[in-house]
Amino acid sequence: NAGVTQTPKFQVLKTGQSMTLQCAQDMNHEYMSWYRQDPGMGLRLIHYSVGAGITDQGEVPNGYNVSRSTTEDFPLRLLSAAPSQTSVYFCASKKQYEQYFGPGTRLTVT
Amino acid sequence: TQLLEQSPQFLSIQEGENLTVYCNSSSVFSSLQWYRQEPGEGPVLLVTVVTGGEVKKLKRLTFQFGDARKDSSLHITAAQTGDTGLYLCAGGVGGFKTIFGAGTRLFVKA
């Protein structure tokens, strides 16, 4: 089992560019989520999904879109990147109480 | 807005010392998890507690959930350099969402 995988590991974008952060899990978990981690602020929930075809907003959803067409995949789209979106992004899948995190994507927006 | 406050934010101790990290909220959580995160990696689950007053031990680490399920503590006995890392507490909300504390950065000196 690979667990939760994320690509790319690093990305640099210019302001206004768009991109998709990929996330996949092979544990057949229904619940998946995206977080961003900024210094001194812990992990903040961007969007989450409780199953294929079902998504909802978290704490900081503005500027991000998600979709969930399969149980395995949960991509995060940045529509028009802004410097405030410079952060480390983590995808996670969850079984009952326990979340399993991917290795993260470090995104810099210049 | 539900908040989880962790203290201290930073802790630097000598190998062999004991320490306690606290996680406090004014909200009741259905469950509480503790994670450890190393640089460049995603958080890794250490333990989940779900019952008020519950105590769990993981080798030299002792986790306690408050009676009212609003707070938790992590106690490390005889810290080792391998314990160095960022410790995050997270509270379960409404069955799907998870709220994270800002983290305690622990540095154990040899």
Side-chain angles (χ1 to χ4, degrees), chain A residues 9 31 37 90 94 97 99, chain B residues 31 35 37 40 42 96 98:
Chain A
K9 183 74 171 171
Y31 182 95
Q37 187 174 35
F90 289 100
K94 181 177 176 182
Y97 303 114
Q99 292 201 81
Chain B
S31 66
Y35 293 82
Q37 186 179 17
F96 296 122
T98 302

Side-chain angles (χ1 to χ4, degrees), chain A residues 20-86:
Chain A
T20 299
L21 278 62
Q22 301 292 343
C23 174
Q25 54 100 0
D26 61 1
M27 296 175 282
N28 203 33
H29 292 165
E30 291 296 328
Y31 182 95
M32 295 184 74
S33 54
W34 276 100
Y35 294 88
R36 60 177 288 172
Q37 187 174 35
D38 301 293
M41 300 188 73
L43 288 151
R44 291 183 292 169
L45 182 65
I46 304 172
H47 284 286
Y48 66 98
S49 169
V50 298
I54 306 169
T55 64
D56 205 349
Q57 296 181 351
E59 184 183 356
V60 288
N62 292 341
Y64 308 95
N65 271 359
V66 292
S67 60
R68 185 94 179 272
S69 56
T70 67
T71 299
E72 294 77 20
D73 300 300
F74 191 42
L76 177 73
R77 296 183 191 84
L78 278 70
L79 309 173
S80 177
S84 61
Q85 293 179 304
T86 292

Side-chain angles (χ1 to χ4, degrees), chain B residues 32-53:
Chain B
L32 197 131
Q33 294 81 42
W34 284 93
Y35 293 82
R36 191 174 108 190
Q37 186 179 17
E38 308 223 10
E41 298 180 8
V44 175
L45 180 70
L46 295 174
V47 78
T48 297
V49 285
V50 296
T51 306

Side-chain angles (χ1 to χ4, degrees), chain B residues 90-109:
Chain B
V93 179
F96 296 122
K97 295 183 183 180
T98 302
I99 306 295
F100 280 82
T104 294
R105 192 165 296 281
L106 172 65
F107 182 64
V108 183
K109 295 175 285 189

